[in-house]
Amino acid sequence: MGAPRLMVVKIGSSTLVDETGALDRGFIRSLCDQLAALVSGGTRVVVVSSGAAAAGRDILGFAERPNDIATLQACAAAGQARLTQAYADVLAERGIPCGQVLLTRRDVMDRDAFLNARTTLTRLLELGAVPVVNENDTVSTAEFAFGDNDMLGALVAALVGAELYVICSDVEGLFTANPQDDPSATLIEHVSEVDHSLTAIAGGSGTSYGTGGMSSKLRAARAMLAAGVPMVICRGRREGVLLEVASGRAVGTRFEAPDGSTHEGGRKLWIGLAEVPRGTIALDEGATRAVLERGASILPVGVVSSSGGYERGDVINVQSSSGDLIGRGIARYSSEDMSRVRGIKLDVISRFLGEDRAQPAIHRDDLLVF
C-alpha cells in the first residue's frame, strides 16, 4: 500500500495541550516533523487543529474550561493566533509555508461557498503549503457550529478529495467497551460499517479540553465510509504515528468500506455534511430496506413520522424503522405537508392534491445514505 497523495489530519485539543492545559510546543514540533516528512515524501497534508480555546484559556488565565459561550469565544479569539503561529514557526524552519483557514458551517452551507472553500484549500496545497483549518469559534453560533472538529475534518476530507483521514486522539482507537471500565475490552482494528452495535458502545464527550468523544468520531466515520475515504482513529502522541498510518501499518482503528462499494459524489456529501438538518422523518421497515438495499427514493407512503419545522428544499435527517440515523436528504415537502401526505401512496396524493404535489418525500438524487 503506497502513501496517500493527500491526507487530512485532525488533532484534538486533549492531544495538543500538556497537563497544565497550555499548548505543548514540544509535541507540536514532533508533529510538524512528521508533517514535513510526509510533504517531502510527496504527500500533501491538511491539518484540522483544535486547541484555540484551550490556548486562549492559558493566555487569559482560566484554570478550567469556561461554561458560557461568550467567554469560550473570547478564549478562541485569544488562542487562535497562538495556535496557528505555533504550527507556522516550526514548519517555516523546514521550509514549508502554513496557511490558516477558519470555517463555520454557514461558510459552506451555500454550494458556491462550499466550492470556493475547496478552491482555496486546493490552491494552498498546490503552492506547497500546509493549510491549518479550524472552526471559526469566535463567530460561530450553536445553529451553525460543527459541534466538534471530527466532523469538520470529515467535511474537509470530502472537500479536497483526500485519500486518507486520520483522527489523532488521546485513545488508541475504538474498543469493544470502555477500557477504563472493562479491562477485557479489546481494540477493534478494522470497521467496514458503522451499525447500531458500534454506536451503542460509543461514549460521550472526552476531556475538559475537547468537545468530541467516540460518538462524534463514529459520525465522522459514517460520513467517510459514504465518501469512500479511509479513516483511522489513533493515539496522536504515539511516536511517528502519522508516518506509520500513511505507510499502511495497522495502527488504531481503520474504517474502510469493502472493495466495490458505491461511493457518493460531491453534491450528496455536501448535502450530508455541510447543511444543517432542519427536521427528521422516520421510515417504516419496507422503506428502510428500499433505501439501504436498493438505493430507492423515499416515498411518502413509507414515512411513519415527521418532526421539526422545515420547508421544501431544506435538508432533513432520515431515521430507519429502528430509530438509527441512516441518511440526510433534501425534502420535497414542507413539514406541514409531510404530516399530511405521510403514509399515503403517490396515486392517492395525485388524485386529491394534484399531480404536481405527488412527489417523493426525498428523491434518491438528493439523498446521502450513510
Side-chain angles (χ1 to χ4, degrees):
M1 181 185 301
R5 289 170 293 181
L6 174 56
M7 62 188 285
V8 173
V9 178
K10 181 261 178 179
I11 313 293
S13 295
S14 57
T15 303
L16 274 173
V17 300
D18 60 23
E19 62 276 3
T20 70
L23 285 180
D24 188 338
R25 293 183 179 273
F27 170 73
I28 291 177
R29 181 168 291 277
S30 68
L31 176 67
C32 288
D33 285 339
Q34 295 180 72
L35 297 177
L38 288 168
V39 171
S40 65
T43 298
R44 295 175 175 177
V45 187
V46 180
V47 176
V48 177
S49 180
S50 304
R57 283 167 51 185
D58 179 45
I59 296 171
L60 298 177
F62 289 96
E64 298 181 353
R65 178 184 174 89
N67 293 320
D68 64 292
I69 297 298
T71 306
L72 279 171
Q73 291 181 318
C75 288
Q80 186 60 55
R82 176 174 289 186
L83 174 66
T84 305
Q85 196 62 47
Y87 285 106
D89 287 345
V90 182
L91 289 172
E93 294 173 5
R94 290 145 182 78
I96 300 173
C98 172
Q100 175 180 267
V101 179
L102 298 179
L103 296 172
T104 66
R105 195 184 287 272
R106 190 194 297 271
D107 295 325
V108 292
M109 282 176 58
D110 176 78
R111 178 68 173 162
D112 290 338
F114 180 89
L115 296 174
N116 188 58
R118 180 173 69 186
T119 300
T120 300
L121 288 167
T122 300
R123 188 62 180 137
L124 279 168
L125 291 166
E126 290 172 347
L127 293 170
V130 171
V132 175
V133 181
N134 197 1
E135 180 162 7
N136 194 353
D137 295 312
T138 60
V139 298
S140 62
T141 60
E143 181 181 13
F144 296 108
F146 290 100
D148 58 74
N149 275 354
D150 297 323
M151 187 55 76
L152 174 59
L155 173 65
V156 171
L159 197 70
V160 299
E163 295 181 0
L164 180 64
Y165 174 36
V166 182
I167 295 180
C168 291
S169 182
D170 54 0
V171 294
E172 297 289 349
L174 176 65
F175 284 78
T176 54
N178 187 338
Q180 295 180 342
D181 301 328
D182 185 352
S184 67
T186 58
L187 180 70
I188 301 173
E189 295 185 352
H190 190 273
V191 175
S192 59
E193 179 185 5
V194 178
D195 56 18
H196 185 71
S197 64
L198 286 184
T199 57
I201 65 175
S205 296
T207 68
S208 61
Y209 298 111
T211 58
M214 190 55 68
S215 59
S216 74
K217 291 170 178 55
L218 290 185
R219 287 194 296 269
R222 184 185 283 117
M224 291 293 88
L225 288 170
V229 178
M231 180 183 121
V232 174
I233 300 173
C234 58
R235 184 177 293 278
R237 286 182 173 259
R238 173 174 170 149
E239 186 176 356
V241 67
L242 294 183
L243 302 179
E244 287 186 305
V245 172
S247 68
R249 289 189 58 182
V251 179
T253 301
R254 185 179 181 94
F255 297 79
E256 189 166 14
D259 292 339
S261 299
T262 300
H263 302 143
E264 301 292 2
R267 181 174 180 275
K268 286 192 177 183
L269 292 171
W270 169 72
I271 290 170
L273 299 178
E275 275 280 15
V276 177
R278 301 293 182 177
T280 300
I281 59 173
L283 310 183
D284 63 23
E285 188 174 342
T288 299
R289 285 200 308 271
V291 168
L292 295 179
E293 297 174 9
R294 302 197 303 274
S297 297
I298 298 173
L299 302 181
V301 69
V303 178
V304 296
S305 67
S306 170
S307 60
Y310 53 90
E311 299 297 329
R312 173 184 168 90
D314 283 345
V315 170
I316 58 176
N317 286 327
V318 179
Q319 290 184 346
S320 70
S321 53
S322 60
D324 293 327
L325 176 66
I326 60 172
R328 285 186 180 139
I330 298 176
R332 295 204 171 184
Y333 296 90
S334 67
S335 54
E336 184 178 355
D337 287 341
M338 192 78 79
S339 297
R340 291 194 185 108
V341 303
R342 66 178 180 84
I344 302 176
K345 294 181 178 180
L346 288 180
D347 60 341
V348 178
I349 296 173
S350 176
R351 193 179 318 139
F352 288 97
L353 298 179
E355 290 187 8
D356 60 325
R357 301 286 293 278
Q359 298 272 340
I362 301 176
H363 193 277
R364 61 188 298 172
D365 292 342
D366 298 329
L367 175 63
L368 173 68
V369 178
F370 294 134

